[in-house]
Amino acid sequence: MTIRVLLADDQALLRGTFRILIDSVADMTVVAEAADGQEAIELTGMHRPDVVIMDIRMPGVDGLTATADICSRPELSDTRILILTTFENDRNVAKALRAGASGFLGKDVSADVLLSSVRTIAAGDSLLSPTAVRALINRFLATPDTDDFIALPELLSALTEREREVMALAAHGKSNAEIAEELVLSPLTIRSHIQRAMTKLNARDRAQLVVIAYQSGLVRPHPQHKS
């Protein structure tokens, strides 16, 4: 299956570079390019891509607003958002994840990492395992801005004890293999628990499942040490 990608960035040179890279592999193709958030919204509705590579800072409608708009539309539920950012924009990344983005990358990402990340996002997984992202989650998702926070503890009652346990471990950035090893279960069983939890909580993907884990209070952040 060919992964259909939409590029949203106000830098034409960067879009061109990414297009050349993505179109150079057999399992991906760029279906459209957008120079701002509004165009990204319109073109996503038109082309229904599998993955949108979305810059945060764009003129007019920014990437955060565009992400929230796209992820709120039921007809675009199969489209995944991969945010482009820098570590200086950590708080914006947290907002993007709450809006429905499936992960993020730095703009200085290598070619191999970009391609593997698109494949990961298209498969319904998320980019939430690296140590840097664990720190991001601990720092921001559990202490969101008031306007973005939605308390959802009652939703957890739909989950089994095992599903809550697996969800909590996923929220700490553990992969299915790591969770399986810790709980002495097979990775396939862990994946099934994750999928069932996502279905019950109406989570688009693993990233939203992690957000719900923090927002509901199932998982608390590690204390941040002041330097």
Side-chain angles (χ1 to χ4, degrees), residues 41 54 62-72 81 83 96-97 99-101:
I41 294 169
M54 180 84 74
D62 63 23
L64 291 175
T65 303
T67 295
D69 188 300
I70 291 169
C71 293
S72 71
I81 308 291
I83 294 290
L97 291 176

Side-chain angles (χ1 to χ4, degrees), residues 39-80:
E39 193 175 13
I41 294 169
E42 294 170 359
L43 290 176
T44 298
M46 184 183 304
H47 294 279
R48 307 289 178 92
D50 301 301
V51 176
V52 177
I53 300 178
M54 180 84 74
D55 186 23
I56 284 184
R57 294 186 177 181
M58 292 184 288
V61 177
D62 63 23
L64 291 175
T65 303
T67 295
D69 188 300
I70 291 169
C71 293
S72 71
R73 302 189 182 197
E75 70 272 19
L76 299 178
S77 61
D78 291 333
T79 295
R80 303 286 181 252

Side-chain angles (χ1 to χ4, degrees), residues 91-146:
R91 190 175 297 277
N92 282 341
V93 174
K95 290 180 179 179
L97 291 176
R98 287 196 297 273
S102 296
F104 76 94
L105 290 175
K107 281 196 171 183
D108 58 350
V109 65
S110 69
D112 287 343
V113 170
L114 175 65
L115 294 175
S116 65
S117 298
V118 171
R119 294 185 181 104
T120 297
I121 294 298
D125 293 322
S126 59
L127 299 177
L128 295 176
S129 294
T131 302
V133 187
R134 296 180 193 184
L136 165 70
I137 294 170
N138 285 337
R139 182 176 178 186
F140 292 113
L141 289 186
T143 55
D145 297 332
T146 303

Side-chain angles (χ1 to χ4, degrees), residues 160-174:
T160 66
E161 182 177 352
R162 178 65 82 185
E163 287 165 355
R164 287 194 295 271
E165 184 178 22
V166 170
M167 180 176 170
L169 291 171
H172 282 300
K174 292 182 180 292

Side-chain angles (χ1 to χ4, degrees), residues 123-126 128 159-160 162-177 179-180 183 185-210 212-213 218:
D125 293 322
S126 59
L128 295 176
L159 304 182
T160 66
R162 178 65 82 185
E163 287 165 355
R164 287 194 295 271
E165 184 178 22
V166 170
M167 180 176 170
L169 291 171
H172 282 300
K174 292 182 180 292
S175 66
N176 286 355
I179 297 172
L183 299 182
L185 297 169
S186 73
L188 182 60
T189 298
I190 298 302
R191 185 175 182 85
S192 295
H193 285 310
I194 292 287
Q195 291 292 337
R196 282 197 293 271
M198 285 168 50
T199 298
K200 290 179 180 180
L201 298 177
N202 197 30
R204 288 169 61 93
D205 54 23
R206 193 185 186 100
Q208 281 206 330
L209 195 68
V210 169
I212 293 171
L218 177 66

